[in-house]
Amino acid sequence: MDFAELVLSSTEVGSTRSRKAKTDALAAVLAATPTTEIGPAAALLAGAPRQGKVGVGWAALRDIRAAMDGVERAGAPVSVTEVDEMFTDLGDVRGSGSTARRRSIIEAVMRRLDPSERDVLQAMILGDLGQGALESLVVDGLAKATTIPAAVVRRAHMLSGDLASTATIAALEGRAGLEAVTLRIGRGVLPMLASTAESVTAALEVTGPASIEQKLDGARIQAHRTRDGEITIYTRNLNDVTQRLASVVAVVASLPGTSLVLDGEVLGLDPDGRPRAFQDTMSSFGSEEDDGRPDARGPAMVPFFFDILHRDGQDLIDHPLSDRLTQLEAVAGPHRLGAISTDDPATAEAFTADTLAAGHEGVMVKALGSTYDAGRRGKSWQKVKPVHTLDLVVLGVEWGHGRRTGWLSNLHLGARDPEEPGRFVMVGKTFKGLTDELLAWQTAALLDLALDPSQRTPEDGWVVPVRPELVVEIALDGAQRSTTYPGGVALRFARVRGYRTDKAVADADDLDAIRALLA
């Protein structure tokens, strides 16, 4: 298949706000894609090439595009396979001369594209396709293209953690092949996600009898241990961080039994056991090594597990949560997250008060009869944060003044548009809660994300629009109606709690979460 056909489909997807229309467009192009190319095509349509990041940034692409200004397409059309091979080649480049080699690889493909196709390829390289085709939409499009029930496709995608392989199996082996996909120890599983509830009482009205669990201000992890004792630790985005979390590896190695897959959080703790701020946890989480001791690098990194997906040869994802928690208690013991099981609102509210007093950010309310399901946020798991916090996306930033001169300071904050996946709507600004250390970090990070890479100083423009790739956790007192912002709502007394580098923008809160805070 010609890459140009994917470009046309991507353009069509980006031109509509209708989820159904996006799904139909994706289904049409995937149905026409040869089985040998459907895996790479699905990944490219989601804006996430199967090879992941390939070490090419804005500056390099700007130079390549500048060299091609006015250059007409030359040569045969580029196929999807050739684009996929380009990403593989880019990922394989190492050592001296790598910059020139990557440029040569990209130029060889771009010379055979027209300008609009070059734009789309550039966006795919940067992971900034921005046409609203998130993985969940491509999964639904794949289901329609192959006439396989969406639930079957979503489950296989959850268990494989890989869109390209899910698409290939669907095309080559059909429903039977997808139903044969099982949990494999050592391969990341897409995590189950939660929706938001106003209160514990409101959540219990939906869930019925539930596990009420401490909601830690940490980083989500998934721990795998094979029968041979090999341990792998993944983030919520399924990045392998085993080498960074030696203390977590040691804990997982010490647990009873043989093979395990555990879902949990890693949290930085002070010597007295109090939780540290999220940014402190992430500082240690991102270090090259962690020996589990609080020192100059940061707090001790301690895992707390709240679910178990596999134990000693038995997959548990289809078991009710009540059974999974019984098995988790037998395995994790002191490393199990604090929780109670109840359907009594007064008991749940008392537990919530104790959790907040201990320095945690809220609770999770999980239906005891629920199975483990990744994908769209359902009502089986609900998060309750009495201290309002939102995960928002940075859309732009303003240069500071006074003592903040030379730093990017005032953040432009966006929420996901619930009606148009991949689109963000501005809901407010804030410069509060930023330490000097965080100001320095965000200045460097946001300049790298500037839509105009030449915009490096206030003289180039007071406001710096950026690619929507960074999630920041915002504390706020509530929301109010607004005629200033397009979503009709604005944040009240917003302040930065820390950047959520462990979260993808698809995990950010949407406008409905903010509207729910309106008085």
Side-chain angles (χ1 to χ4, degrees):
M1 170 179 277
D2 288 350
F3 178 66
E5 295 183 56
L6 289 194
V7 172
L8 288 173
S9 177
S10 179
T11 302
E12 183 178 355
V13 168
S15 68
T16 177
R17 299 184 63 178
S18 165
R19 184 181 183 94
K20 180 180 184 302
K22 289 177 185 290
T23 302
D24 289 346
L26 292 166
V29 71
L30 288 172
T33 303
T35 55
T36 55
E37 294 182 313
I38 196 168
L44 290 171
L45 285 167
R50 63 187 184 86
Q51 296 84 352
K53 298 287 186 180
V54 292
V56 179
W58 266 102
L61 285 167
R62 178 192 59 204
D63 293 343
I64 292 171
R65 295 302 301 277
M68 290 193 172
D69 279 349
V71 176
E72 298 295 327
R73 179 207 300 263
V78 176
S79 69
V80 169
T81 296
E82 287 176 303
V83 172
D84 183 61
E85 290 172 346
M86 180 202 74
F87 279 103
T88 299
D89 291 343
L90 289 172
D92 289 342
V93 173
R94 298 286 188 278
S96 177
S98 59
T99 299
R101 176 60 181 149
R102 290 192 183 102
R103 174 168 179 158
S104 175
I105 291 170
I106 295 171
E107 284 186 346
V109 173
M110 281 200 171
R111 288 186 183 281
R112 295 164 56 196
L113 303 175
D114 68 24
S116 64
E117 293 162 2
R118 292 169 186 168
D119 289 343
V120 172
L121 181 60
Q122 174 176 301
M124 288 175 173
I125 294 171
L126 293 172
D128 185 31
L129 193 53
Q131 32 73 314
L134 303 177
E135 280 202 357
S136 62
L137 270 175
V138 178
V139 167
D140 288 350
L142 177 64
K144 187 167 186 176
T146 56
T147 67
I148 299 172
V152 174
V153 183
R154 291 184 194 128
R155 179 182 173 87
H157 182 223
M158 174 185 78
L159 292 173
S160 72
D162 183 79
L163 179 57
S165 65
T166 301
T168 299
I169 293 170
L172 293 177
E173 303 175 40
R175 177 172 182 169
L178 291 178
E179 289 178 337
V181 176
T182 59
L183 188 152
R184 182 193 303 167
I185 302 170
R187 179 179 66 188
V189 176
L190 292 178
M192 188 167 176
L193 303 175
S195 57
T196 301
E198 181 179 348
S199 67
V200 172
T201 299
L204 282 172
E205 290 176 356
V206 175
T207 63
S211 173
I212 316 297
E213 303 173 359
Q214 295 172 335
K215 189 177 190 313
L216 308 185
D217 194 15
R220 192 163 181 179
I221 56 169
Q222 188 179 111
H224 291 238
R225 189 181 75 190
T226 68
R227 287 184 177 275
D228 296 330
E230 183 178 348
I231 294 170
T232 311
I233 310 296
Y234 293 102
T235 66
R236 64 183 293 131
N237 295 326
L238 304 188
N239 295 320
D240 186 339
V241 291
T242 310
Q243 298 304 314
R244 303 183 197 174
L245 295 174
S247 59
V248 177
V249 171
V251 167
V252 176
S254 72
L255 299 178
T258 56
S259 53
L260 295 171
V261 178
L262 301 167
D263 198 355
E265 295 261 338
V266 64
L267 185 66
L269 298 179
D270 283 329
D272 63 0
R274 294 279 297 182
R276 296 288 295 269
F278 176 77
Q279 56 264 35
D280 294 327
T281 292
M282 291 307 297
S283 176
S284 288
F285 188 74
S287 65
E288 289 300 315
E289 294 182 1
D290 157 50
D291 60 10
R293 297 175 297 174
D295 58 17
R297 287 198 317 274
M301 300 294 284
V302 181
F304 295 91
F305 299 109
F306 53 73
D307 213 330
I308 183 167
L309 312 187
H310 177 96
R311 179 188 180 194
D312 297 345
Q314 183 181 26
D315 291 343
L316 302 173
I317 57 174
D318 293 324
H319 289 222
L321 178 61
S322 55
D323 180 31
R324 302 201 307 274
L325 293 180
T326 298
Q327 302 217 38
L328 178 67
E329 180 64 31
V331 169
H335 297 285
R336 182 187 166 185
L337 191 68
I340 61 170
S341 294
T342 186
D343 60 358
D344 177 50
T347 301
E349 294 286 2
F351 179 82
T352 301
D354 290 342
T355 296
L356 293 172
H360 302 304
E361 66 174 356
V363 296
M364 298 288 295
V365 181
K366 301 177 179 178
L368 287 174
S370 61
T371 56
Y372 194 93
D373 299 305
R376 298 176 184 173
R377 298 174 189 271
K379 298 294 185 181
S380 295
W381 287 15
Q382 299 192 57
K383 56 185 175 183
V384 180
K385 300 188 202 179
V387 178
H388 299 306
T389 63
L390 294 168
D391 293 327
L392 300 175
V393 177
V394 181
L395 304 179
V397 62
E398 299 172 12
W399 286 101
H401 55 84
R403 68 175 302 273
R404 292 190 176 186
T405 297
W407 282 334
L408 290 174
S409 176
N410 199 17
L411 299 172
H412 294 198
L413 304 168
R416 288 189 297 110
D417 185 337
E419 298 179 0
E420 184 177 352
R423 180 174 180 265
F424 303 95
V425 181
M426 189 169 173
V427 293
K429 303 179 184 181
T430 190
F431 54 83
K432 297 179 180 179
L434 293 166
T435 63
D436 288 356
E437 181 181 10
L438 204 53
L439 281 165
W441 182 88
Q442 80 173 25
T443 298
L446 293 174
L447 283 176
D448 283 344
L449 294 177
L451 290 178
D452 180 358
S454 67
Q455 194 173 359
R456 311 295 295 181
T457 69
E459 289 70 28
D460 300 321
W462 195 254
V463 177
V464 181
V466 301
R467 304 198 307 276
E469 295 183 12
L470 271 181
V471 177
V472 62
E473 185 175 11
I474 299 294
L476 65 158
D477 290 355
Q480 60 192 22
R481 302 186 190 281
S482 171
T483 57
T484 301
Y485 298 116
V489 292
L491 311 178
R492 296 182 64 246
F493 303 109
R495 57 269 187 200
V496 173
R497 293 192 67 182
Y499 279 92
R500 296 303 307 249
T501 53
D502 61 321
K503 288 192 173 185
V505 293
D507 297 321
D509 286 298
D510 64 15
L511 275 175
D512 288 341
I514 302 173
R515 290 167 179 155
L517 300 177
L518 290 172

